[in-house]
Amino acid sequence: MSTKLLEGERALVTGCAGGIGRGIAKALLAEGATVLGSDIAAPPGEDGIDFLAADLGKRNGWKGLLDGALKKLGTISLFVHSASPRRLEVDTPLSVSEATWDAMTDINLRTGFFLSRELGRHMKDNRIKGRILLITSQHRETPRNLPHYSASKAGMTMVMKELARTLAPDGIRVNAIAPGAIPGGGFVADNLGDLVTQIPIGRAGTPDDIAQVAVAVLSERFGRYVVGTTVEVDGGIGLMSWIPAKA
């Protein structure tokens, strides 16, 4: 009998070229899942994760990814939406452009919803006790000086709750993880040294810190009664108020 937590599962992970998405994809693979990763461009190196390029910034990019993923995997029982545009500290409430706003909300919120909804339908129609996991942020509740980012993550949180309530009767669990400061991927900051000193646990996080929690939530051994929940994985930084307002 396999001791791996996700043996036989088939997973799609967006934002898989690096950072949190890559970390989660590798952790799912290590726990026995067949993993298909997606991003706008393939990551360097080979580690056993199949890859499908998709530009989720395009209006119908999510549809192409959905069709391609189902063609490759046949069925999908796990979905993780980790894709998110890189965010720049200059995109403050008084300076962010419409184009930057649209790019962030299209990938995080619009694509996150439609991919999750259609994969939820797929799981329901195929009687799959599937699991969907959205990567949000602690800034779904607290200001970040990046209104497009915070608003999209807040919206993703409500999308998660709406889908969780709708799909739970069919045995499909929908949840979210809210990471703290995880360098790499979409996190770009010039004050990381100062930030680390304010994290109660005393260090920045790593993609693997998020990935191990993702595995637990997605598994039926540890997460089977976790529904409609956002798990904070932030080293305690959510307890602090560390970003001043600025124009």
Side-chain angles (χ1 to χ4, degrees), residues 138-139 142 178-181 187 194-196 198-201 203 232-243:
Q138 61 182 297
H139 299 294
T142 59
F187 185 80
D194 293 337
L195 173 58
V196 170
Q198 298 183 57
I199 299 175
I201 206 169
R203 67 173 177 85
E232 298 271 0
V233 188
D234 64 2
I237 200 172
L239 303 171
M240 315 303 288
S241 179
W242 53 272
I243 296 182

Short mmCIF file of all heavy atoms in Angstrom, two decimals, residues 138-139 142 178-181 187 194-196 198-201 203 232-243:
data_model
loop_
_atom_site.label_atom_id
_atom_site.label_comp_id
_atom_site.label_asym_id
_atom_site.label_seq_id
_atom_site.Cartn_x
_atom_site.Cartn_y
_atom_site.Cartn_z
N GLN A 138 -2.26 37.39 2.33
CA GLN A 138 -2.72 38.05 3.56
C GLN A 138 -3.34 39.40 3.24
O GLN A 138 -4.16 39.93 4.00
CB GLN A 138 -1.56 38.22 4.53
CG GLN A 138 -0.44 39.09 3.97
CD GLN A 138 0.70 39.18 4.94
OE1 GLN A 138 0.52 39.71 6.04
NE2 GLN A 138 1.85 38.68 4.58
N HIS A 139 -2.98 39.96 2.06
CA HIS A 139 -3.49 41.28 1.69
C HIS A 139 -4.88 41.22 1.06
O HIS A 139 -5.36 42.22 0.55
CB HIS A 139 -2.49 41.98 0.78
CG HIS A 139 -1.18 42.18 1.46
ND1 HIS A 139 -1.04 43.01 2.55
CD2 HIS A 139 0.04 41.62 1.26
CE1 HIS A 139 0.21 42.96 2.98
NE2 HIS A 139 0.88 42.13 2.22
N THR A 142 -5.82 43.14 4.25
CA THR A 142 -5.08 44.31 4.69
C THR A 142 -4.48 45.04 3.49
O THR A 142 -4.09 44.40 2.51
CB THR A 142 -3.94 43.90 5.64
OG1 THR A 142 -3.06 42.98 4.97
CG2 THR A 142 -4.49 43.22 6.88
N ALA A 178 -3.07 31.56 2.03
CA ALA A 178 -2.63 32.95 2.00
C ALA A 178 -1.17 33.00 2.45
O ALA A 178 -0.89 32.95 3.65
CB ALA A 178 -3.50 33.81 2.91
N PRO A 179 -0.24 33.08 1.51
CA PRO A 179 1.18 33.12 1.89
C PRO A 179 1.58 34.48 2.45
O PRO A 179 0.93 35.51 2.19
CB PRO A 179 1.91 32.87 0.56
CG PRO A 179 0.86 32.37 -0.39
CD PRO A 179 -0.42 33.00 0.07
N GLY A 180 2.66 34.49 3.19
CA GLY A 180 3.29 35.73 3.60
C GLY A 180 4.34 36.14 2.60
O GLY A 180 4.15 36.01 1.39
N ALA A 181 5.46 36.64 3.08
CA ALA A 181 6.55 37.11 2.22
C ALA A 181 7.37 35.92 1.72
O ALA A 181 8.13 35.32 2.47
CB ALA A 181 7.45 38.08 2.98
N PHE A 187 6.73 38.05 -6.18
CA PHE A 187 7.09 38.96 -5.09
C PHE A 187 8.35 39.73 -5.44
O PHE A 187 9.43 39.16 -5.60
CB PHE A 187 7.32 38.17 -3.80
CG PHE A 187 7.59 39.04 -2.60
CD1 PHE A 187 6.55 39.65 -1.93
CD2 PHE A 187 8.89 39.24 -2.15
CE1 PHE A 187 6.79 40.45 -0.83
CE2 PHE A 187 9.13 40.03 -1.05
CZ PHE A 187 8.08 40.64 -0.38
N ASP A 194 14.51 44.76 5.73
CA ASP A 194 13.71 45.36 6.79
C ASP A 194 12.48 44.52 7.10
O ASP A 194 12.07 44.38 8.26
CB ASP A 194 13.28 46.77 6.40
CG ASP A 194 14.45 47.73 6.31
OD1 ASP A 194 15.48 47.45 6.95
OD2 ASP A 194 14.34 48.74 5.60
N LEU A 195 11.89 43.96 6.06
CA LEU A 195 10.69 43.16 6.23
C LEU A 195 10.95 41.93 7.09
O LEU A 195 10.17 41.61 7.99
CB LEU A 195 10.15 42.74 4.86
CG LEU A 195 8.98 41.76 4.84
CD1 LEU A 195 7.79 42.33 5.61
CD2 LEU A 195 8.59 41.45 3.42
N VAL A 196 12.07 41.25 6.84
CA VAL A 196 12.37 40.03 7.57
C VAL A 196 12.46 40.29 9.07
O VAL A 196 12.05 39.46 9.88
CB VAL A 196 13.67 39.39 7.03
CG1 VAL A 196 14.13 38.26 7.93
CG2 VAL A 196 13.45 38.87 5.62
N GLN A 198 10.71 42.05 10.79
CA GLN A 198 9.38 42.22 11.37
C GLN A 198 8.53 40.95 11.31
O GLN A 198 7.39 40.95 11.76
CB GLN A 198 8.65 43.36 10.64
CG GLN A 198 9.37 44.69 10.79
CD GLN A 198 8.58 45.82 10.13
OE1 GLN A 198 7.42 46.05 10.46
NE2 GLN A 198 9.20 46.52 9.20
N ILE A 199 9.09 39.88 10.77
CA ILE A 199 8.37 38.60 10.73
C ILE A 199 8.62 37.88 12.05
O ILE A 199 9.77 37.61 12.41
CB ILE A 199 8.86 37.74 9.55
CG1 ILE A 199 8.60 38.46 8.23
CG2 ILE A 199 8.15 36.38 9.56
CD1 ILE A 199 9.15 37.74 7.01
N PRO A 200 7.58 37.57 12.80
CA PRO A 200 7.77 36.98 14.13
C PRO A 200 8.64 35.72 14.15
O PRO A 200 9.42 35.52 15.08
CB PRO A 200 6.33 36.67 14.59
CG PRO A 200 5.53 37.77 13.96
CD PRO A 200 6.16 37.96 12.59
N ILE A 201 8.54 34.89 13.10
CA ILE A 201 9.32 33.67 13.11
C ILE A 201 10.78 33.91 12.74
O ILE A 201 11.63 33.04 12.87
CB ILE A 201 8.69 32.60 12.19
CG1 ILE A 201 9.08 31.20 12.64
CG2 ILE A 201 9.05 32.84 10.72
CD1 ILE A 201 8.31 30.10 11.96
N ARG A 203 12.27 34.89 9.69
CA ARG A 203 12.79 34.66 8.35
C ARG A 203 11.70 34.82 7.32
O ARG A 203 10.51 34.73 7.64
CB ARG A 203 13.40 33.25 8.23
CG ARG A 203 12.38 32.11 8.34
CD ARG A 203 13.00 30.77 8.05
NE ARG A 203 12.06 29.66 8.22
CZ ARG A 203 11.21 29.23 7.29
NH1 ARG A 203 11.17 29.83 6.09
NH2 ARG A 203 10.41 28.21 7.51
N GLU A 232 -3.56 30.53 6.60
CA GLU A 232 -2.48 31.52 6.63
C GLU A 232 -1.14 30.79 6.79
O GLU A 232 -0.97 30.02 7.73
CB GLU A 232 -2.66 32.47 7.80
CG GLU A 232 -3.94 33.29 7.76
CD GLU A 232 -3.77 34.60 7.01
OE1 GLU A 232 -2.65 34.87 6.53
OE2 GLU A 232 -4.76 35.34 6.93
N VAL A 233 -0.21 31.05 5.87
CA VAL A 233 1.13 30.48 5.96
C VAL A 233 2.10 31.64 5.79
O VAL A 233 2.58 31.92 4.70
CB VAL A 233 1.36 29.40 4.89
CG1 VAL A 233 2.68 28.67 5.14
CG2 VAL A 233 0.21 28.39 4.87
N ASP A 234 2.35 32.35 6.90
CA ASP A 234 3.04 33.64 6.77
C ASP A 234 4.08 33.93 7.85
O ASP A 234 4.55 35.05 7.97
CB ASP A 234 2.01 34.77 6.75
CG ASP A 234 1.23 34.89 8.05
OD1 ASP A 234 1.51 34.13 9.00
OD2 ASP A 234 0.34 35.76 8.13
N GLY A 235 4.44 32.92 8.64
CA GLY A 235 5.45 33.15 9.66
C GLY A 235 5.02 34.11 10.74
O GLY A 235 5.84 34.60 11.52
N GLY A 236 3.73 34.43 10.78
CA GLY A 236 3.21 35.34 11.78
C GLY A 236 3.14 36.79 11.34
O GLY A 236 2.73 37.66 12.11
N ILE A 237 3.52 37.07 10.09
CA ILE A 237 3.55 38.47 9.65
C ILE A 237 2.16 39.09 9.59
O ILE A 237 2.01 40.32 9.68
CB ILE A 237 4.27 38.61 8.30
CG1 ILE A 237 4.73 40.06 8.11
CG2 ILE A 237 3.39 38.15 7.15
CD1 ILE A 237 5.61 40.26 6.91
N GLY A 238 1.14 38.26 9.47
CA GLY A 238 -0.22 38.79 9.50
C GLY A 238 -0.57 39.45 10.82
O GLY A 238 -1.54 40.20 10.91
N LEU A 239 0.22 39.18 11.85
CA LEU A 239 0.01 39.80 13.15
C LEU A 239 0.54 41.22 13.20
O LEU A 239 0.26 41.97 14.14
CB LEU A 239 0.70 38.97 14.24
CG LEU A 239 0.29 37.50 14.34
CD1 LEU A 239 1.21 36.78 15.30
CD2 LEU A 239 -1.16 37.37 14.77
N MET A 240 1.36 41.58 12.19
CA MET A 240 2.05 42.86 12.21
C MET A 240 1.42 43.84 11.23
O MET A 240 0.64 43.47 10.36
CB MET A 240 3.53 42.67 11.83
CG MET A 240 4.20 41.47 12.53
SD MET A 240 4.13 41.55 14.33
CE MET A 240 5.31 42.86 14.61
N SER A 241 1.77 45.10 11.35
CA SER A 241 1.39 46.13 10.38
C SER A 241 2.69 46.74 9.89
O SER A 241 3.29 47.57 10.56
CB SER A 241 0.51 47.21 11.03
OG SER A 241 0.18 48.20 10.09
N TRP A 242 3.14 46.27 8.71
CA TRP A 242 4.53 46.55 8.33
C TRP A 242 4.69 47.34 7.05
O TRP A 242 5.81 47.63 6.66
CB TRP A 242 5.31 45.25 8.21
CG TRP A 242 4.68 44.21 7.32
CD1 TRP A 242 3.77 43.28 7.70
CD2 TRP A 242 4.90 44.00 5.92
NE1 TRP A 242 3.41 42.50 6.63
CE2 TRP A 242 4.10 42.92 5.53
CE3 TRP A 242 5.70 44.61 4.96
CZ2 TRP A 242 4.07 42.45 4.22
CZ3 TRP A 242 5.68 44.14 3.66
CH2 TRP A 242 4.86 43.06 3.31
N ILE A 243 3.60 47.70 6.38
CA ILE A 243 3.75 48.47 5.15
C ILE A 243 3.05 49.81 5.31
O ILE A 243 1.83 49.86 5.42
CB ILE A 243 3.18 47.71 3.95
CG1 ILE A 243 3.96 46.43 3.72
CG2 ILE A 243 3.24 48.59 2.69
CD1 ILE A 243 3.49 45.64 2.52
#
